[in-house]
Amino acid sequence: MAVPWWGWVGFLVVVIGLIGLDLGLVSRRSHVIGFREAAIWVTIWVGLALAFGVGIWLIGGAEPGLQYFTGYLIELSLSVDNMFVFVLIFSAFAVPAEYQHRVLFYGILSALVMRGLMILGGSWLITTFHWVLYLFGAFLVITGIRMALQREEREVDIENNIAIRLVSRIAPVTGEYHGQHFLTRVNGQRMATPLLVVLVLIELTDLLFALDSIPAIFAITQDAFLVFTSNVMAILGLRSLYFLLAGLVERLVYLRLGLGIILAFVGIKMLASAFIHIPTLLSLGVVILVLAITTIASLVWGKPAAQRAASASAPGDTAHQ
């Protein structure tokens, strides 16, 4: 899909405007994001993403439209996996609920810049060295298998955390929060607050997830504009989606299995691209089907890890008594 330079500029201007709107309406004051507010913003972001995809379909044709929607759905579903880690980070650092949206806002803002650079770099690599596609494919298959086999989320190690070491190089870290500030002054000395540590940790986490999600979208399309826009539109709604699903995410116990299957599928698609052409519509159907099955299975039969542990220990405790 040939997009002129002004198309890129126009998209970036709209995105910056949306971020500014979000900053002015939601992030200007510290408050707890409730379910209703989160649902409204999720509806807005998803609606904008779908409308943009329809525009691509009408202007560029059915194939670019399907590629955008498939990339968007893959990125959005992988973003849900991010939420498992976000919940652990906020819990481990006891981040007050009214400050969490500020951390996510600046984390997402930085992620847009970081992912944009990674997408441009990946696009250049694929264009210059086509064999890189097969490295991406092998990486996705291995990552997908590992994700599918991983049962429990790792805990956040506060004592030996890399984010604390990185922030400590800039300034000493205070032992308590100072409102929604990332930096503060204590007795005239500039100090970092735990909120800055959490922000850095969120950024590092997103970087690791981007290593999975960006190659996965390149398996669907190598069009840099479609890869970038589908990524950006999914990330923009991530914060609102977090507050909408934060209480539900621990119940999605089979989602990681589904995401592992999706990553392995797109990795195989990338590896087999020289021999077999898998239509984009089929890829979209596989992604939707896997997500639907694992989500429904989680909600019907799944239990959070804490409940499973409690259920497993209950008979032994009774017998001991």
Side-chain angles (χ1 to χ4, degrees):
M1 181 177 174
V3 178
W5 64 268
W6 51 263
W8 285 85
V9 173
F11 177 77
L12 291 174
V13 168
V14 171
V15 168
I16 292 173
L18 291 173
I19 292 174
L21 180 66
D22 191 350
L23 179 63
L25 293 180
V26 181
S27 303
R28 61 181 177 180
R29 61 184 178 86
S30 299
H31 68 290
V32 179
I33 305 293
F35 181 86
R36 182 175 179 275
E37 182 179 358
I40 291 174
W41 278 102
V42 167
T43 303
I44 292 173
W45 292 123
V46 172
L48 289 172
L50 295 180
F52 184 81
V54 170
I56 289 179
W57 191 304
L58 294 176
I59 296 173
E63 184 61 21
L66 285 172
Q67 290 174 355
Y68 166 83
F69 282 120
T70 306
Y72 172 75
L73 187 59
I74 289 176
E75 178 59 39
L76 194 64
S77 58
L78 289 172
S79 295
V80 175
D81 193 44
N82 287 26
M83 295 180 193
F84 287 96
V85 183
F86 292 170
V87 169
L88 287 175
I89 292 173
F90 287 145
S91 298
F93 285 87
V95 181
E98 62 268 25
Y99 303 149
Q100 292 178 8
H101 73 283
R102 179 176 173 83
V103 174
L104 290 177
F105 175 82
Y106 286 102
I108 290 170
L109 191 62
S110 302
L112 291 174
V113 177
M114 179 178 62
R115 291 191 180 215
L117 295 175
M118 292 178 67
I119 288 170
L120 290 176
S123 181
W124 177 82
L125 279 175
I126 292 173
T127 303
T128 309
F129 309 102
H130 185 73
W131 50 266
V132 171
L133 273 176
Y134 303 111
L135 290 181
F136 283 176
F139 173 75
L140 289 175
V141 171
I142 295 172
T143 302
I145 294 173
R146 290 179 59 186
M147 183 178 290
L149 296 178
Q150 184 178 349
R151 288 291 175 261
E152 303 295 341
E153 188 64 63
R154 296 176 182 176
E155 295 184 357
V156 179
D157 185 0
I158 296 181
E159 296 296 329
N160 303 302
N161 195 274
I162 186 174
I164 294 179
R165 295 200 299 269
L166 289 174
V167 173
S168 297
R169 292 175 179 265
I170 302 173
V173 181
T174 64
E176 64 282 331
Y177 291 96
H178 289 255
Q180 62 177 351
H181 300 294
F182 295 114
L183 294 170
T184 188
R185 285 193 176 275
V186 178
N187 297 325
Q189 182 184 14
R190 187 184 68 170
M191 300 188 70
T193 71
L195 210 60
L196 182 60
V197 176
V198 174
L199 176 61
V200 172
L201 191 54
I202 291 288
E203 287 297 328
L204 293 174
T205 300
D206 183 75
L207 176 61
L208 293 177
F209 277 102
L211 296 176
D212 298 337
S213 63
I214 291 177
I217 298 181
F218 274 119
I220 304 301
T221 177
Q222 283 85 62
D223 188 309
F225 184 76
L226 295 178
V227 173
F228 180 68
T229 53
S230 59
N231 227 274
V232 168
M233 297 306 290
I235 293 174
L236 284 175
L238 177 58
R239 185 182 63 168
S240 301
L241 192 63
Y242 169 81
F243 290 107
L244 184 68
L245 299 180
L248 182 64
V249 71
E250 291 185 356
R251 290 194 58 191
L252 302 178
V253 294
Y254 298 122
L255 179 63
R256 180 154 293 155
L257 171 62
L259 295 178
I261 293 172
I262 291 172
L263 286 179
F265 169 75
V266 296
I268 293 171
K269 179 180 186 293
M270 190 175 280
L271 290 173
S273 60
F275 311 100
I276 303 173
H277 172 66
I278 300 178
T280 307
L281 184 60
L282 177 60
S283 300
L284 179 59
V286 169
V287 172
I288 293 175
L289 182 62
V290 171
L291 288 177
I293 291 175
T294 53
T295 300
I296 293 172
S298 297
L299 297 178
V300 175
W301 296 295
K303 287 183 179 181
Q307 292 184 16
R308 294 198 301 272
S311 299
S313 62
D317 293 341
T318 304
H320 179 72
Q321 292 174 353

